[in-house]
Amino acid sequence: MLTIDGYARVDLRLTVNNEMYFIEANPNPILAADEDFAQSALKAGMPYPQLIHQIVRLGLKSTRD
């Protein structure tokens, strides 16, 4: 079980047979506009400013035990 709390990135890979493999969990990924995470969000239709806003909004909303 992963105990990552807050912003993080989980890297997965998909094989040609649609099998998913866990690569790593990164609790401190780079958040620059030209890095993989932001580029993936952009490809999914979420521009960088909206991505940052969403991360901050979700971070402020979260409650911790």
Side-chain angles (χ1 to χ4, degrees), residues 15-65:
T15 70
V16 293
N17 297 325
N18 286 327
E19 297 169 310
M20 190 180 309
Y21 286 90
F22 172 83
I23 303 297
E24 70 173 336
N26 188 339
N28 193 23
I30 298 172
L31 195 54
D34 62 347
E35 290 294 328
D36 293 345
F37 180 69
Q39 291 297 304
S40 295
L42 182 61
K43 191 167 189 162
M46 183 179 287
Y48 186 69
Q50 184 181 349
L51 172 66
I52 298 302
H53 176 79
Q54 182 76 346
I55 290 170
V56 170
R57 188 180 70 76
L58 291 170
L60 292 172
K61 181 180 174 183
S62 82
T63 58
R64 295 184 173 96
D65 297 329

Side-chain angles (χ1 to χ4, degrees), residues 1-22:
M1 177 162 96
L2 299 176
T3 57
I4 297 172
D5 182 20
Y7 173 71
R9 183 186 75 219
V10 175
D11 292 341
L12 306 169
R13 295 297 180 268
L14 200 60
T15 70
V16 293
N17 297 325
N18 286 327
E19 297 169 310
M20 190 180 309
Y21 286 90
F22 172 83

